[in-house]
Amino acid sequence: MADRPLTLMAVHAHPDDEATGTGGVLARCAAEGIRTVLVTCTDGSCGDGPGGVKPGDPEHDPAAVAAMRRGELEASCDVLGVGHLELLGYADSGMMGWPANTAPGSFWSTPVKEAAARLAELMLRHRPDVVVTYDENGFYGHPDHIQANRITMAALALTGVASKVYWTTAPRSMMEEFGKVMREFGADWEEPDPSEAAAVPDIGLPDEEITTWVDTTGFGGQKFDALAAHASQAENIFFLRMGKERFTQLMGVETFVRVHDTTGAPLPEDDLFAGLR
């Protein structure tokens, strides 16, 4: 390890996910001289088109949306100082239950073994010390997020390259505040029907189950600007309505659960690279 820089690999589903979930740690690691690798699994073609045209509208052109979102992703990476952007290029699967789930070439319909083999090649090339992706529910049940978790864990099993592996999460103590802020800025936030609550997977974790709390307050401006680079999706990114100061107050700590570790670093921790430097 002495002859190469420490390396972080973040595996995300769509363009803009890198900024929402890990923009702070990507920017912080880059500033600390840690090599950063972003793997984006899909082309984001189920996102909004120019003028806010929605998927399913006759004027929605998935190929044009994908091209537009690639440019936005590259701009976001420049803001965050991402050293290496790797694109798996699978078609965006849309939300759970959409016809796009089973479309030819969609990420959700791709065999895990096939996609994991491609990701494993990238892991062997970049040799990440730390890998970050979503939890088994994809944080909120999005099929492409779930698939990103599946192929990441399968690729790690194939390669054994990472010393530490993390899943993104959120502390439950923040969810009430998060809901208040969303409503304040005009975003939809409905409390689940008690009769349906048992069938809906909980988002985030109890605070005591979160292993890693990373202070990224100093990089809140970069994280905000990286999100703003995804201008075509601004209607869906309510955080941009908040302004940098409020955004940084709410999103200035990124939280994770450590699911693999070879370092023996004690928990809880405040550094993804604890035990490695």
Side-chain angles (χ1 to χ4, degrees):
M1 199 157 49
D3 61 348
R4 64 180 180 85
L6 291 169
T7 300
L8 169 68
M9 175 179 281
V11 182
H12 281 291
H14 312 97
D16 77 28
D17 290 333
E18 80 290 337
T20 306
T22 56
V25 295
L26 285 168
R28 175 174 168 168
C29 285
E32 293 174 348
I34 292 171
R35 186 167 167 266
T36 53
V37 181
L38 170 64
V39 180
T40 301
C41 298
T42 81
D43 58 9
S45 56
C46 285
D48 289 356
V53 176
K54 302 297 182 183
D57 188 291
E59 296 182 6
H60 186 274
D61 181 348
V65 171
M68 175 179 63
R69 298 196 71 185
R70 175 168 179 167
E72 293 175 341
L73 176 61
E74 291 170 350
S76 172
C77 287
D78 286 344
V79 171
L80 298 174
V82 171
H84 301 270
L85 172 61
E86 301 283 2
L87 304 173
L88 294 187
Y90 292 106
D92 189 339
S93 309
M95 300 299 288
M96 193 67 81
W98 285 17
N101 292 176
T102 55
S106 75
F107 189 37
W108 183 242
S109 67
T110 299
V112 169
K113 185 176 181 179
E114 175 186 318
R118 294 184 59 202
L119 181 57
E121 290 180 6
L122 295 177
M123 289 182 175
L124 291 173
R125 183 188 311 165
H126 291 290
R127 310 295 299 185
D129 302 282
V130 174
V131 173
V132 175
T133 192
Y134 314 100
D135 63 20
E136 293 166 309
N137 186 49
F139 187 62
Y140 67 99
H142 193 295
D144 288 330
H145 291 220
I146 295 170
Q147 186 78 330
N149 167 275
R150 290 173 177 172
I151 75 162
T152 300
M153 302 313 291
L156 287 164
L158 287 171
T159 62
V161 296
S163 297
K164 305 179 81 175
V165 180
Y166 294 90
W167 294 345
T168 57
T169 191
R172 296 262 173 83
S173 63
M174 285 184 57
M175 296 311 292
E176 183 177 353
E177 177 64 19
F178 187 70
K180 289 178 181 177
V181 173
M182 287 188 73
R183 287 189 291 269
E184 177 184 343
F185 286 91
D188 293 331
W189 180 269
E190 297 183 3
E191 295 296 330
D193 186 316
S195 65
E196 301 175 356
V200 178
D202 288 326
I203 294 177
L205 289 173
D207 290 27
E208 63 273 14
E209 293 182 23
I210 293 175
T211 64
T212 311
W213 305 69
V214 183
D215 183 358
T216 60
T217 305
F219 304 93
Q222 280 176 262
K223 183 172 178 173
F224 184 93
D225 289 343
L227 271 174
H230 297 280
S232 68
Q233 309 306 306
E235 182 181 333
N236 303 317
I237 305 175
F238 97 95
F239 299 109
L240 296 176
R241 307 174 200 174
M242 301 168 60
K244 287 185 181 180
E245 182 176 355
R246 189 72 180 275
F247 173 83
T248 300
Q249 290 173 352
L250 183 67
M251 305 289 286
V253 176
E254 293 182 351
T255 50
F256 306 85
V257 57
R258 193 172 83 189
V259 296
H260 172 73
D261 172 64
T262 64
T263 70
L267 297 176
E269 59 188 1
D270 59 7
D271 178 9
L272 296 178
F273 289 83
L276 291 168
R277 56 178 174 175

